[in-house]
Structure formats: structure tokens, C-alpha cells
Amino acid sequence: MPAPIRLRELIRTIRTARTQAEEREMIQKECAAIRSSFREEDNTYRCRNVAKLLYMHMLGYPAHFGQLECLKLIASQKFTDKRIGYLGAMLLLDERQDVHLLMTNCIKNDLNHSTQFVQGLALCTLGCMGSSEMCRDLAGEVEKLLKTSNSYLRKKAALSAVHVIRKVPELMEMFLPATKNLLNEKNHGVLHTSVVLLTEMCERSPDMLAHFRKLVPQLVRILKNLIMSGYSPEHDVSGISDPFLQVRILRLLRILGRNDDDSSEAMNDILAQVATNTETSKNVGNAILYETVLTIMDIKSESGLRVLAINILGRFLLNNDKNIRQVSLYTLVFGYVALTSLLKTVQTDHNAVQRHRSTIVDCLKDLDVSIKRRAMELSFALVNGNNIRGMMKELLYFLDSCDPEFKADCASGVFHAAEKYAPSKRWHIDTIMRVLTTAGSYVRDDAVPNLIQLITNSVEMHGYTVQRLYKALIDDISQQPLIQVSSWCIGEYGDLLVSGKCEEEEPIQVTEDEVLDVLEGILVSNLSSTVTRGYSLTAIMKLSTRFASAVNRIKKVVLVYGSSIDVELQQRAVEYNALFKKYDHMRPALLERMPVMEKTSTNGPTEIVQTNGETEPSILETKHMPNVPQPANQANDLLDLLGGNDVISVIHTAPPTKLVSAGGELLDLLGDLSLSGSVPAPGPPVSISQPPFLLDGLASQPLFNDVAAGIPPMIAYNKNGLKIDFTFERSDTNPNIAVITMHASNSTEVEMTEFVFQAAVPKTFQLQLLSPSSNIVPALNAGTVTQIIKVLNPQKQQLRMRVKLTYTHKGSSLQDLAEVNNFPPQSWQ
Amino acid sequence: MVNKQGQTRLSKYFEHVEIHKRTSLEADVIKSCLSRTKGECSFVEYKDFKLVYRQYAALFIVIGVDEAENELAVYELVHNFVEVLDKYFSRVVTSQIMFNLDKVHIILDEMILNGHIVETNKSRILAPLLVIDKMAES
């Protein structure tokens, strides 16, 4: 058999391959040659063959048949063999292979070898890929080597110890005595790895952390020497002495100083020194400064130091180097949020970050995607009542020009900020309009109900709003959320539009027919989604009471859609038809203007106070309307209204029929209705039972069918960005049971994970907690976690509750206890 | 280490990744690094890591680190590594790295163990390698 070719030759040959297939062929040929060579048990060439195998492995070809060969190489006495053998082991083997256990003995022997390099090899391999059994067996050896005076071995032993501790945490105690002298070393390699080892131990065990706090002075001293020492050729990088070690020490100091006043105080001086003395012209210096800033933010440092840190970050932002800008924006986001949640120094720090606001806003225009994202997040965090107008201008400009991936987040952020800090209603509506028109298709679905609710509540702006929306609609009917909001508004306030009642702006002249043209255009357009069509059909319907002359036209439209292929549209059209025919007398009442809605939470659909005491009745089976293919929420709601209206009036006038619904009863009521032929006008006492369900898209959201027996919702807890709302229902089966739905929302930038809600009530109550919808509360009110709580209150005592909240936020776990006492009386009476 | 055409010249994993996943992972990483323009910074977010990359002539060196690492320091580490290679090979070029892959691995092992920095001093890193070389010659 000819001698196997050298690695070099192989590489050269493979490089000549022109296609993937050719390369594969060559590799296979060589693999075959290697395999036969292995079979021959030839020691001389084994090393070479394994080297080639490793190369092929790197290219992505399977090389598992070489694993045993690696072991043989490890067992050999030649150093070159051992080297390749260990390398092969590290690359080809891992814990999952059984072969790897066979290495244990070899490693054990090699750990005690006379040559330090062999020992080093063994340590290296153990440290990279030792399994837990191996680690357990060999931990003693590692510990011994940790105490040796040979610095080459000591540094490797330290890192192997890290690996051992990771695999077998119980063995951590074993290494404790050896750590005593580690920091006394002069050798930087050993120092470095020792710091790593200490860091690992502190991170794993709070006891170790407490134990090692006493090392803070020593660490401070080492750091000081590094800074002050002047030029040392051994570890110099661009004029700074061993920056890697500095960074590592800073990180360990961070862990030690966190939540500990004494340690933090001991560090203050050195941190200030590093921050001011480090040379910033090169990237190296900046790396150290970055780590310093992170440390300052994380420990309990004094406020002067924090301001220094923020200023450093601000300077970073002005730096031309992209890397530094990116890194500083990230830290600022983190730092800002961290800082604002601190009670004592909020004022000074808050201002300190605000000072850099303009730089941050400039970063929005940067070319780099990650910088833009960070700048956007940070800008939203910095928005407050004072700077809202300026910031919003910049952010809207950003929204116009940014990449699609940002638009959704930016739009939500704008809505959220506008809601919190809007200086005037008109400004708020203008801002929303701007977002809808520029980024309309990226707006999240839950924004539409929020907007509608906002518009409804700005009573004086109705004329202005509907006019602007109408104008936007004429221009462009492709953006679904915009159309939905617009058609809803036109449906509600069309009369204001036509009558030209608009204080803020020059009123436009528009006739009823023109408006209907636009709405019908939406209905037929291919661009409209089903939901949008539903909105516009209902809007048209509503206009039948507002537009005096267009009733016939509207009737025709509705008739046409009665045979639409789309089930949802057909459903609606059929019912509207029925409204025209049989219930025409009720039409004005049903289609009246929406009342101002009570808002309970800043996200998600709003809670509408209902006075009809029905939970969602599934009465469709008994429905007596013709041509209904399937039950839909819409029909449900309509019947609710019919029933609801009636129920209320019955309470007022006649001996009550039951409030709680059952399908049959409603039918009876309807029967009564048609017999009596008249409906008491929905006067003020029943104003709240107005047709809220005609909020079309919203009706499909389950919350709207939450019919509380007139119990207003409440905010149970609101702290640190976490808000808990309670909404109430009476249980169908037992009037003593109140069903409370807990909604948790999170207004900070970072999501809260592992969220657990617990509640306790006084002894006279009974509590049942069902499982939550999830345990992650998304950031920026993007969604809520809901959980149902059932409280049995047989003695009708005042409800009190103690709640315990635990969650993980930004890496630290938080816990809070609160008492909830402000339950509305109706919830427990 | 990757060249501009996307061919891997050296790869080292400190966390286990299935071999068939490696090629696609590498291709992905390379794509996100190669597509960066001059004006963009050297840190890319990829899944739940951060990638720190640096270009030297036709060779890209990419290091993937987790969230807790200081990216600027890793950036310096890359440069340190290249300087060590430079010292050993006396003005290193890509082909030298290719043909001496095992030696480059040894250097890397001397510098980084299980994902942590062991040694950054050039002479100390190269010491064992020089010993091996001497042994191989004799």
C-alpha cells in the first residue's frame, strides 16, 4: 500500500475541484484510502490520516470512523500523535458517544505525565468536553493541578475547573481551598483564568458570592496596578495593559457589587479612575470603558458616578466608530430603564440621559439597522410630557422612511406614547391619522378598537375626525386598519360630515351620495378584507338613520348582500334586512350614536359596561329569523340587544321577567315585543344598553360578550410598569360566585417572563384560581396575561384580596405583595 | 474563519452542534456577515447570539458570543488572535492557515478554552507550539 498522502496534498487536491460533486468524489476516495490504512493498523501514518480526516470533517463530511483512531493516537507515547489525537477527540467526539468514556483513563494518565505540555493537552480536552462522569473521576487531579506552581498548567486547570463545576455543581466546594491563593499570582494568564473561575463560582452559588466579597479589595488593587503600571510589553494592546484582564475583573466586580452597598462603595474610586483615565482613542480603551459603564449601572454606585457613566455613553454616541455607537445605544436603553426605576436618584439621572436625547434621535437616521432599532427603542423610552411634540415629529419621520420590519413596532410605540402624553386631543388624533396613512398596513390589529374608542371619547373632535378620515379614505383604500377606522367613524358621524360641522378645519362639501359611493366602493373593492367589508356594510346601515334621503339606496345595497357568498356579510345583510322590514320601528334606537366608553386598560379591547345581565346566550338554535346559515356573534348580539332593551324596560314598567337569560325566555320577550307592537323609547335610564354590539369588528372579540351584571372593572395593581385589572361577571350557576378575570399588562420595554399571580382571600370566602393564559407578559402592552379567579362569598361580606406577583424582568426575579381593597360593592353584594 | 466565497477555513465550536446542522449554521452566519456594508457596525444579532466579525483582506473571522459578553472586548480578541498568527507564520496569509490547520487549532486552544480566554500573551501562547515543532524536526 503506498504511503498515504500528506494533509497538504489533500488540501491542494481538493482545492482543484471545480464542483461540489468533484470535491465529494475526491473526498470519498480519500476516505476509502484512509479506512483501509486504519485497518492495517499502521502506526506511522495514523497521525497523518487523522489530520486529513479532521480537515474533511471541517468541510462537513462525516468522519466518525476516525473516532477510535483518535483514541489510539491519544494512547501513543509520541507527542505529535497525542496532539492530533486530542484535537481529533475534541472535534469529533462529544459526550453522546460511548467511545468518549474510553478516554478517561488516558486523560488520567496524561494529567500526571512528566511533560507539562502533555498535561496541558489533557487538561484542555477535559475542560472542553469532559462528561459529568469523567469530571467526577478526574476532579481530584484537576484540583491538584490548580495548586501547582507551574503557571502554564495552573491557568488551564482553572478553566477545566470551570467546566467541572458546570457539569457537576456539587463539586464546587472542592475547589474552594485552592482558590485562596489564585489572586496572588503574577502571571496574567493565571490571573485571568482565576477571575473566570471565581466569576463562575459566584454566579452559581450565592454563598460563594458572599464568601468572595472579601476579595473585592484585592481585585481593586490588581486593577489599579494594571492601570497605573505604565508600559508593560507582555500584555500591551495599543498602549493599554492587558485590557482583557481589566474587562474580566470589571465583570467580576460587577457581580460582587450587585445589591451590596459595602462592596459597591469599595469599588467607587477605582471605577471612577478607570472611567476617567482610560484612553479613548482606540477601540481597546472603549471596550474597557464599556465594561466599566455596565458595571457602574449595575452596582449600587453613587449618583455622581452614574452621571459620569451616562456621559461616557453620550460621548460614545458621538463617536464615529459604528461599533461603539451600537454598543452605547444598547447600554443606554438598558441603563435608562434601570435608572428610571430607581427611586432615589431618578431626577438627576433622568435628566442626564435626556441631555443626550438629540444624539439618540440623530441615530435614528443612521444607516446601520441595529443602531436604528436601538435608537428607536431608546427614543420611545425617553418620551415624556415635555418633549412629546418634538420627539413625535422625529419618530413619525422615522416611521415614514424606515424598513418594514420596524414599522409595526414603531407604530405601536407611537400609539402608546401618544396615548400617555398627548398634549391635546386634536394632536392625538392628528398623530394617529398620520400613522394610519403612512404605515397603515403595519398597524397591529388591536390598534383599531383602541383608536375607535379614543375617537368616541373625544366628543368635541368628532366632526374634525370624520372629515379627515373621509379625506384619507378618498385618497387610498388599500390600508385595512385605516379603512376600518374610517368607515366606522363615517357610520357613526356621517351626519356631521354631511352637514359640514367642523370647528377645527375648513369643512368640506360632501353629499350623502358621495359618502355612500365611497363606502360602497370599499365593499366591492378587491383590496378590502372580509373584516373591512363587514365594517363598511355596518357603516352603511348606520347611515340609514343619519342620512335622511338615502334610505332606499341603503336598503338596496343591504338587499344585494343578503345573498353574498361571504357568510359574514350575508349574515349581516340578512339581519339588517330584517331590521328594515320587521323591526323598522326599532331601527333608530339600535343605530343610535355610541356612548362614551369606559376605558379600563391601555391595551386590548375596552370594557363596555353592560346593564343587561346576560352572559353570552347561545340562543341561535332557537332563533326564528329566516335564512340564517350559521350562528355568528353578530346575530347573537343583535338578539341580545332586542332582548336587552326589552328586559330593561320590563324591569321599569312591569313585573320583572328574569334577568338571567335562557334562550326560551328571550324568545318569549321577542314574542311579547311583536305582540305589543311598540317599544318603550330608550330614554336616559337605559342609555347604557344602547347597541354597543354594533361595534362590528369589536364584537368578535370575546371581551365584548363579557356581560358583567353592571359591575364596573377596576385596577387592582399598578406598579413598575405592571398593571393588573380585574373585570367581573356573575356566575350563571350560582349568584354568590363572582367570576373575576385578571388581566396583566406590561408597559415597560422588556417583557416579563415566568409571571405568576397568586391570590388569597379572608377565611369567609373561597377562592378558586384557574390556569393563566400564559406566563409571559409581553412588553409595551402588546398583549395581556389573563387568569380567571372565582370567589365564593356566601356571607356577602366585603371582598378583600391579597395578591402576590412574581416575575422575571430583565434578568432579575421580582416579587411583590399587594392588598386589593377597592372592590366595587356590586362585586360582593 | 471564512473567505469571501463563503468557504469555511476553520471552525471551532464550544457548544455542541450536530454536524449536519453546522454547514447550514455556518452558511447563515456567513451570509449575515458578508451582506453588511462598510458603513455598518461589526456586531450582528443572530438568533440569541451576537456575532462579532472582522475582515482581514479576503478572510472574515467571526466569533459568536452570548448576550452577556462585551462585544468590544471580543473584537479586540479577534485582532489579538490574528496578531498571534502573524507572529507565528511571519506575515500570515490565508493559504498558510489552510495548510497548517492543525497548528492553527493548537494556537486557538492555547488562547481559548471552552469558550473562555486562557492566555493573551503572544510568546506564551506560541511556546508549546514551538516545542512541538522542535520535536517534530528532530
Side-chain angles (χ1 to χ4, degrees), chain A residues 391-404:
Chain A
M391 288 294 272
M392 201 49 83
K393 207 160 65 164
E394 293 287 342
L395 287 166
L396 285 174
Y397 181 68
F398 175 66
L399 182 63
D400 283 340
S401 54
C402 70
D403 301 326

Side-chain angles (χ1 to χ4, degrees), chain A residues 123-260:
Chain A
L123 274 173
C124 185
T125 314
L126 177 62
C128 277
M129 39 141 346
S131 66
S132 11
E133 293 86 35
M134 272 171 93
C135 287
R136 240 183 264 270
D137 286 337
L138 300 169
E141 309 288 330
V142 173
E143 203 251 341
K144 217 168 43 181
L145 286 170
L146 196 51
K147 298 202 267 227
T148 170
S149 51
N150 182 331
S151 44
Y152 175 76
L153 290 176
R154 223 170 164 193
K155 67 187 184 194
K156 293 198 189 236
L159 287 178
S160 308
V162 171
H163 182 82
V164 168
I165 291 176
R166 282 209 188 129
K167 285 282 175 195
V168 192
E170 301 89 59
L171 292 175
M172 197 173 4
E173 300 290 324
M174 196 165 110
F175 293 105
L176 194 50
T179 60
K180 270 205 203 25
N181 289 325
L182 278 178
L183 289 183
N184 294 333
E185 264 283 345
K186 288 261 182 335
N187 179 305
H188 281 215
V190 179
L191 268 179
H192 194 116
T193 54
S194 317
V195 173
V196 174
L197 176 58
L198 290 171
T199 312
E200 182 72 24
M201 289 169 102
C202 289
E203 276 174 354
R204 291 213 164 236
S205 144
D207 298 326
M208 291 287 181
L209 181 61
H211 173 84
F212 284 126
R213 283 227 171 91
K214 62 179 200 269
L215 291 175
V216 169
Q218 207 173 2
L219 287 167
V220 167
R221 221 174 345 175
I222 297 175
L223 193 51
K224 197 168 195 155
N225 284 337
L226 280 175
I227 306 174
M228 306 300 256
S229 62
Y231 184 66
S232 116
E234 282 196 343
H235 294 279
D236 181 272
V237 179
S238 305
I240 298 188
S241 191
D242 208 343
F244 301 105
L245 182 57
Q246 288 193 33
V247 164
R248 219 53 236 224
I249 293 181
L250 284 166
R251 200 175 303 171
L252 180 56
L253 285 176
R254 181 153 87 230
I255 297 177
L256 291 175
R258 206 180 270 161
N259 291 331
D260 185 82

Side-chain angles (χ1 to χ4, degrees), chain A residues 543-545 547-556 580 587:
Chain A
L543 289 176
S544 71
T545 49
F547 284 0
S549 58
V551 179
N552 285 326
R553 178 174 173 179
I554 294 177
K555 267 198 198 162
K556 264 195 244 152
F580 274 126
R587 198 161 43 88

Side-chain angles (χ1 to χ4, degrees), chain A residues 300-316:
Chain A
K300 292 189 176 254
S301 52
E302 52 176 24
S303 63
L305 205 50
R306 286 182 188 271
V307 174
L308 180 59
I310 294 174
N311 287 340
I312 293 178
L313 287 177
R315 256 204 335 263
F316 272 7

Side-chain angles (χ1 to χ4, degrees), chain A residues 11 108 151 153 165 253 265 314 472 511 570-571 679 718 747 782:
Chain A
I11 297 178
K108 193 174 197 148
S151 44
L153 290 176
I165 291 176
L253 285 176
E265 214 186 297
T511 66
Q570 189 187 105
Q571 175 90 38
V679 159
N718 190 353
S747 63

Side-chain angles (χ1 to χ4, degrees), chain A residues 8 11-12 15 55 57-58 79 83 87 90 94 96 117 127-128 152 155-156 159 163 166 187 189 192-193 196 234-235 237 242 244 248 251 283-284 286-287 290-291 322-323 326-327 330 368-369 374, chain B residues 8-11 16 18-19 22 36 39-43 45 67-73 75-77 80 98-102 105-106 109-110 113-114 116-121 124 128 131-132 135:
Chain A
R8 248 161 233 264
I11 297 178
R12 256 190 224 115
R15 284 187 77 178
Y55 179 74
H57 173 86
M58 185 190 77
F79 183 61
R83 190 57 193 90
L87 183 61
M90 275 196 278
D94 66 73
R96 288 152 238 231
F117 295 120
C128 277
Y152 175 76
K155 67 187 184 194
K156 293 198 189 236
L159 287 178
H163 182 82
R166 282 209 188 129
N187 179 305
H192 194 116
T193 54
V196 174
E234 282 196 343
H235 294 279
V237 179
D242 208 343
F244 301 105
R248 219 53 236 224
R251 200 175 303 171
N283 183 52
V284 195
N286 290 322
Y290 177 46
E291 194 72 34
K322 300 270 165 185
N323 298 339
Q326 143 81 309
V327 138
Y330 180 72
D368 183 309
V369 162
R374 291 276 145 68
Chain B
T8 312
R9 294 285 171 232
L10 180 140
S11 69
H16 182 76
E18 301 287 337
I19 188 162
R22 287 188 192 192
R36 308 277 280 180
E40 295 180 282
C41 72
S42 302
F43 312 134
E45 277 167 42
E67 290 292 322
E69 278 297 328
N70 179 337
E71 301 105 311
L72 294 173
Y75 192 73
E76 283 305 311
L77 182 64
N80 195 352
M98 279 182 58
F99 287 111
N100 292 297
L101 203 51
D102 46 342
H105 266 285
I106 294 174
D109 281 337
E110 288 293 322
L113 210 164
N114 199 21
H116 292 291
I117 301 178
V118 184
E119 183 63 67
T120 51
N121 178 294
R124 290 211 201 109
V131 169
I132 295 178
M135 274 203 250

